């Protein structure tokens, strides 16, 4: 599918908005690395106005994986029929992107396609525009802007990630450090005293006695860093 899309897109013709959705946008997203699990269709968007919100629908919101949330949203795509312009489509996508925290907009009417980047300032900046008939000749640019790998890297370079998502990034590092440190042995055992000195514990037994963690206090030079 991905390769056949690029070779056939110049010959596609679109008669309606639904046609643009199913024969252009979805195949394009699949061609630049996304899976069907990443793509949410007719995603409900709520703009809060007082106690009650007004529901709208984004044609597509593209996420990083099966968990569809503000912490994984990458692209909002709004589609129009070939008889309509892209200005309104872009404005719709922009408002939906602010609601979902997606960093990219992808409006198209089957004749033209645009890629916009959402700025923290609240505005969007046009990154790319082309005629759909010539889409294949711009494949490299499109993949470098909103291909799955590129979009995720950009997403992670901003402050849009949650603390939970950020902590997952360190999981591999922590595991590698634990395995690397496992080869070391204790150079010198220390006797640790509880606050007030009521109980003592050999340093080798600290993790067993305090599985939830412990705060080790001591004067400079007593080896706290080495112990840790």
């Amino acid at each position: 599918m991905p390769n056949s899309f690029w070779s056939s897109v110049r010959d596609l013709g679109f008669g309606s908005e639904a046609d643009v959705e199913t024969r252009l946008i979805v195949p394009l997203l699949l061609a630049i690395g996304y899976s069907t699990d990443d793509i949410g269709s007719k995603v409900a968007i709520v703009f809060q106005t007082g106690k009650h919100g007004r529901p709208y629908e984004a044609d597509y919101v593209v996420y990083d994986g099966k968990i569809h949330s503000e912490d994984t949203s990458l692209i909002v795509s709004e589609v129009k029929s070939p008889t309509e312009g892209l200005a309104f489509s872009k404005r719709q996508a922009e408002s939906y992107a602010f609601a979902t925290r997606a960093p990219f907009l992808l409006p198209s009417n089957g004749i033209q396609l645009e890629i916009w980047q959402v700025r923290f300032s609240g505005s969007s900046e046009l990154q790319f525009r082309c005629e759909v008939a010539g889409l294949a000749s711009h494949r490299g640019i499109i993949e470098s802007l909103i291909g799955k790998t590129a979009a995720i890297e950009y997403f992670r370079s901003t402050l849009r990630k949650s603390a939970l998502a950020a902590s997952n990034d360190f999981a591999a590092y922590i595991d590698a450090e634990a395995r690397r440190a496992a080869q070391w042995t204790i150079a010198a055992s220390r006797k640790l005293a509880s606050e007030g000195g009521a109980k003592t514990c050999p340093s080798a037994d600290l993790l067993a006695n305090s599985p939830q963690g412990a705060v080790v206090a001591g004067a400079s030079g007593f080896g706290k860093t080495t112990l840790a």
Side-chain angles (χ1 to χ4, degrees), residues 8 23 49-50 82 93 99 112 120 146 155 179 187 190 199 222:
S8 64
R23 297 177 59 229
T49 54
Q112 286 188 320
F120 283 119
I146 59 169
F155 185 81
R179 285 186 281 106
R190 295 167 175 79
K199 296 181 180 180
F222 272 54

Side-chain angles (χ1 to χ4, degrees), residues 206-215:
L206 180 59
L207 291 180
N209 290 341
S210 304
Q212 300 302 314
V215 176

Side-chain angles (χ1 to χ4, degrees), residues 35 121 181:
S35 69
S121 62

Side-chain angles (χ1 to χ4, degrees), residues 129-201:
R129 176 190 287 136
C130 78
E131 300 294 315
V132 170
L135 204 62
S137 62
H138 302 290
R139 176 178 179 177
I141 296 175
I142 295 168
E143 290 180 336
S144 69
L145 287 172
I146 59 169
K148 185 171 183 178
T149 300
I152 291 173
E153 285 303 311
Y154 173 76
F155 185 81
R156 290 177 176 175
S157 71
T158 69
L159 299 177
R160 297 171 181 269
K161 294 190 66 178
S162 68
L164 177 60
S167 69
N168 288 337
D169 282 350
F170 288 98
Y173 168 77
I174 292 171
D175 181 63
E177 284 298 289
R179 285 186 281 106
R180 182 172 68 86
Q183 62 185 309
W184 299 339
T185 57
I186 297 174
S189 180
R190 295 167 175 79
K191 183 180 289 186
L192 305 173
S194 63
E195 187 176 8
K199 296 181 180 180
T200 60
C201 168

